[in-house]
Amino acid sequence: MHKPMALRKPFWTPGVLVMVAFMVAGAVAILARFTGGIGYVANLSTARPWGLWVGVDVATGVALAAGGFTTAAVAHIFGRHAYEPVTRPALLTAVLGYTFVVLGLIVDIGRSWAIWKPMFNWNTNSVLFEVAMCVMCYLNVLYLEFFPIVAEQFKGNVNLPGPLALLNGLVDDILHIGDAIIDKIMWALIILGVVLSCMHQSSLGSLMLIAPTKLHPLWYTPILPPLLFLTSAFAVGYPMVVFETTIATSSFKLDSEMNILTPLTRITIFLLGFYMVLKIGDMAVRGTWIYLLDGTAQSNAFVAELVLGVILPWLMLLSSQIRASRKGLFIAATLIVAGVVLNRINVFIVGFKPPLSDPGYFPSIGEMMVTFGLIATLMFIYKIAVTYLPVLQASQEVSR
Amino acid sequence: MQLSRRHFFKIMGVATATATVAPAAADTWQSKSPPDPFGCLVDLTRCVGCRKCEEACAEVNHLPTPERAACQCTIFEKKRRPDDKAYTVVNRYFTGTVDENDTPVPTFAKVQCMHCQDPACVSACIVGALTKDETGAVRYNVDKCIGCRYCMVACPFEIPAYEYFDPVTPRVMKCTFCYDRISKDGGLPGCATICPTEALTFGKRNTLLNMAQKRLTQNPGKYIDHIYGEKEAGGTSWLYISAVPFETVNLPVLPDKPMPKLSENIQHSLFSYLWSPIALFSLLGAIMFGTHKAQKPKETPSQKGGRNA
């Protein structure tokens, strides 16, 4: 096993320039939102108060950051230390994912400057209140969990540019003291991260419980929504790690880490299988299968989500050849990730049909510019982080 | 469209029934509705579509004057909804009823916030900016609002509107039940003061329910036997009686169960006193302690930093 290291590879590649283009477009749309209002940029209405920003930037962002707590749980709580090499990139994804969930919220909520108000005005009846509190706490836990990685890189060699050099000593002290304190409480932070994740991952599924007449019955399930969202977050955690590790290792030309990813996805067979059983069982018990073939956009989206995003990749993972093949595993993982993305989009956008006054909804160009801009910025910072911080495993020089 | 929606509610009914049976043990939910609220009775058989209520509402609440206030013809060609510039609107519906000359008879229906007894918006609001007052009014406190618009997601009547074109200080806009007026002795909401045909009657909700029931029994055949708002979504302060089915004038078919009941039950049974997070924390802590104790003898000093990920 190798130590994680800063990559120190050339930063400005053509891919990075594409990211910058998206970031600029996103910045323009965000500027428009904060000068002309949400309505100037987005296709939202009275009947459709939530659109792409909530469905993708927030709900999907939270789901795809599940790799952070699921890898922390397996490696640190259940003591499977072999999986440690993937915990750091997964943690970085979670740190960035949740940061961008909050940035997405700042764009989406009407009074962005009032985002702190839920801390002092509690409504414990509100599902959204619980989600917000957990996300806020978890974001802080994630930053604390990430602190030692920064400390590891810069402890003892803080070298700030220009006049800031005066602060070198102070920053170094902060790194030393912070690292020492966090080392003592890391166990609690790790458990707390898992607990907070379980709480809000599940509660995101309860958000629509209050709107039984608006959400299509294929997704509106009165008892299971917290469990379906939680089990799908469990299921998508490791596939997301496979997805990003494969992309990172191939684009940075590192070891593929298949020796870790293959056994990791064996756990996914159980997690995804559990989600699949709940989802199909829920459909059978409530008799909603009658909608499956009625040809509406909702039914088709549900079938795609279930067949392509759950059943097919689950069958693929059953084969040990596919699990051992880098390409096969990547395809299966991508399908699972896409299935969960589609599920969140379905619950918050496609399946949401207010019966009285729905004007229909398709995200505007401006909404997409914001969403893609935020995703590009996230990837941009990911690249900065792995270039300068010890996150990824360095490649085995002998083998290359 | 109509047929599939009906189908939808049939399923919803079954679903709701299953849900109420299953977590019956955890069902400690109690209504937080005020005991003796005000209400307003809308008699659709009396409304002639003069739209004076729209005008009065705009004036009392300092909203823009309604579009073509004097016109009772072309404005009805499109179906309107309350929005950020109008708390109430009147629509015209032809429901198939004809008079003796075979001319279609219109039904006019005013729509505004129903001021639910147990409002979904109040339960959903992340900061408690929406509250149900003793008067029956569902009130909005802009000073707490963060603009998440979950109230709009939650409202089964699709009423709260948003100032989407205000970049910094947008507000949720909906009927206030003229709280400032009705909270004073003898005060009436703007719309109810002006109605020339007495289609709108303001009073205590219980009194209005009796009045509505009396009209239904004393005029057999005139009304359909249903007071809309008596039980819908757990009951609303605004009540409707009509000669035509309420679905045909765009009043939604809703379960009798208060909207917040299910989600509040689930939230409170999972999170009261934070019992489940504490239990999960303890369980995971025990597992972590166990695995680390088991692995300790094998662990070499170089692996110690592994936890820091």
Side-chain angles (χ1 to χ4, degrees), chain A residues 33-40 44-50 54 75-81 84 87-88 91 108-115 117-118 121-130 132 145 148-149 179 183 186-188 190-192 194-195 198-199 202-203 206-217 220 222-223 225-226 285-288 290-291 352 354-358, chain B residues 1 4-5 7-9 11-12 14-16 18-19 22-23 32 81-83 120-128 140 142-150 152-162 164-171 250-255 259-260 262-264 266-268 270-271 274 276-278 280-281 284-285 287-288 291-292 295 299 303-309:
Chain A
R33 179 257 173 267
F34 282 106
T35 45
I38 296 169
Y40 185 57
L44 299 175
S45 60
T46 303
R48 289 281 186 153
W50 286 356
V54 170
H76 304 314
I77 295 178
F78 293 93
R80 303 283 181 269
H81 296 296
E84 261 160 31
T87 54
R88 280 192 176 194
L91 174 64
D108 181 77
I109 66 171
R111 302 177 154 236
S112 315
W113 47 270
I115 197 167
K117 287 187 175 173
N121 298 293
W122 292 17
N123 178 12
T124 53
N125 288 327
S126 169
V127 179
L128 192 61
F129 171 75
E130 188 230 315
E145 285 185 48
I149 298 177
D179 199 28
D183 190 51
M186 186 52 103
W187 67 273
I190 287 167
I191 301 177
L192 193 60
V194 175
V195 172
C198 288
M199 286 172 77
S202 60
S203 291
S206 304
L207 278 178
M208 286 298 168
L209 276 177
I210 200 148
T213 57
K214 294 182 180 176
L215 185 59
H216 192 283
Y220 187 90
I223 318 167
V285 169
R286 290 187 303 117
T288 49
I290 55 165
Y291 296 102
F352 188 77
L356 301 181
S357 62
D358 185 16
Chain B
M1 172 71 196
S4 75
R5 190 188 299 166
H7 218 90
F8 180 86
F9 284 110
I11 295 293
M12 292 307 316
V14 176
T16 320
T18 358
K32 292 171 274 292
R81 296 288 302 172
D83 59 24
C121 59
V122 170
S123 172
C125 180
I126 181 169
V127 285
Y140 169 63
V142 70
D143 294 330
K144 288 184 178 177
C145 181
I146 66 168
C148 70
R149 307 190 296 285
Y150 191 28
M152 300 166 66
V153 170
C155 176
F157 299 99
E158 298 167 35
I159 289 298
Y162 205 61
Y164 279 117
F165 288 90
D166 184 328
V168 184
T169 55
R171 292 168 295 171
N250 218 22
L251 285 168
V253 181
L254 293 175
M259 291 289 158
L262 178 61
S263 62
E264 287 185 9
I266 290 187
Q267 284 302 96
H268 292 299
L270 280 178
F271 298 115
L274 295 175
S276 64
I278 292 169
L280 183 58
F281 191 98
L284 293 175
I287 293 173
M288 197 181 198
T291 52
H292 279 254
Q295 289 166 355
E299 208 172 328
Q303 281 172 311
K304 217 189 124 220
R307 266 198 309 159
N308 281 5

Side-chain angles (χ1 to χ4, degrees), chain A residues 71 82-87 89-90 237-250 254-269 317 320 322-330 332-333 393:
Chain A
T71 52
Y83 296 122
E84 261 160 31
V86 292
T87 54
Y238 303 142
M240 190 61 195
V241 170
V242 172
F243 179 76
E244 52 165 301
T245 306
T246 309
I247 291 178
T249 52
S250 49
L254 305 171
D255 285 347
S256 65
E257 301 194 358
M258 285 301 284
N259 57 330
I260 299 169
L261 301 184
T262 299
L264 195 60
T265 41
R266 260 177 52 199
I267 311 175
T268 301
I269 298 176
L317 285 184
S320 57
I322 291 181
R323 287 204 310 274
S325 132
R326 190 169 186 217
K327 204 169 164 189
L329 191 65
F330 180 71
Q393 305 281 305

Side-chain angles (χ1 to χ4, degrees), chain B:
Chain B
M1 172 71 196
Q2 199 70 341
L3 206 133
S4 75
R5 190 188 299 166
R6 202 158 294 161
H7 218 90
F8 180 86
F9 284 110
K10 209 182 274 176
I11 295 293
M12 292 307 316
V14 176
T16 320
T18 358
T20 30
V21 174
D27 189 359
T28 51
W29 189 85
Q30 290 206 325
S31 169
K32 292 171 274 292
S33 59
D36 191 23
F38 286 114
C40 205
L41 176 64
V42 188
D43 189 333
L44 296 185
T45 65
R46 296 184 179 187
C47 179
V48 294
C50 71
R51 297 175 60 227
K52 287 283 173 208
C53 51
E54 289 185 27
E55 234 176 299
C57 173
E59 199 184 314
V60 168
N61 293 294
H62 313 292
L63 297 167
T65 313
E67 190 189 350
R68 281 174 286 174
C71 163
Q72 281 114 55
C73 37
T74 54
I75 190 81
F76 290 124
E77 277 162 20
K78 59 176 180 192
K79 293 282 168 283
R80 297 175 302 147
R81 296 288 302 172
D83 59 24
D84 58 330
K85 295 188 174 65
Y87 291 158
T88 187
V89 293
V90 179
N91 280 310
R92 183 183 65 188
Y93 299 90
F94 289 105
T95 57
T97 326
V98 288
D99 64 11
E100 54 274 21
N101 305 323
D102 274 355
T103 318
V105 179
T107 304
F108 297 95
K110 176 187 186 300
V111 56
Q112 72 296 307
C113 173
M114 297 292 284
H115 298 275
C116 303
Q117 285 286 71
D118 282 293
C121 59
V122 170
S123 172
C125 180
I126 181 169
V127 285
L130 288 156
T131 46
K132 176 77 175 171
D133 187 79
E134 286 300 301
T135 57
V138 175
R139 304 186 63 199
Y140 169 63
N141 179 355
V142 70
D143 294 330
K144 288 184 178 177
C145 181
I146 66 168
C148 70
R149 307 190 296 285
Y150 191 28
C151 52
M152 300 166 66
V153 170
C155 176
F157 299 99
E158 298 167 35
I159 289 298
Y162 205 61
E163 293 183 316
Y164 279 117
F165 288 90
D166 184 328
V168 184
T169 55
R171 292 168 295 171
V172 169
M173 301 294 276
K174 70 161 201 75
C175 162
T176 61
F177 211 170
C178 287
Y179 173 81
D180 292 337
R181 296 158 63 98
I182 67 166
S183 55
K184 294 191 187 91
D185 266 350
L188 291 169
C191 53
T193 54
I194 201 154
C195 182
T197 57
E198 290 181 39
L200 300 178
T201 316
F202 176 79
K204 287 289 183 183
R205 183 173 185 269
N206 290 327
T207 321
L208 295 176
L209 279 172
N210 289 333
M211 182 191 287
Q213 194 54 55
K214 210 178 275 172
R215 279 190 211 169
L216 296 194
T217 40
Q218 284 174 354
N219 301 280
K222 186 177 179 190
Y223 297 96
I224 57 160
D225 186 23
H226 183 171
I227 304 173
Y228 189 91
E230 181 183 11
K231 296 198 174 117
E232 273 75 12
T236 57
S237 283
W238 278 66
L239 306 165
Y240 284 73
I241 49 177
S242 161
V244 296
F246 294 103
E247 306 95 278
T248 60
V249 294
N250 218 22
L251 285 168
V253 181
L254 293 175
D256 289 350
K257 201 174 76 160
M259 291 289 158
K261 187 172 174 178
L262 178 61
S263 62
E264 287 185 9
N265 261 342
I266 290 187
Q267 284 302 96
H268 292 299
S269 57
L270 280 178
F271 298 115
S272 354
Y273 308 105
L274 295 175
W275 73 267
S276 64
I278 292 169
L280 183 58
F281 191 98
S282 318
L283 176 69
L284 293 175
I287 293 173
M288 197 181 198
F289 184 75
T291 52
H292 279 254
K293 207 172 157 189
Q295 289 166 355
K296 201 109 201 194
K298 288 176 271 171
E299 208 172 328
T300 56
S302 66
Q303 281 172 311
K304 217 189 124 220
R307 266 198 309 159
N308 281 5

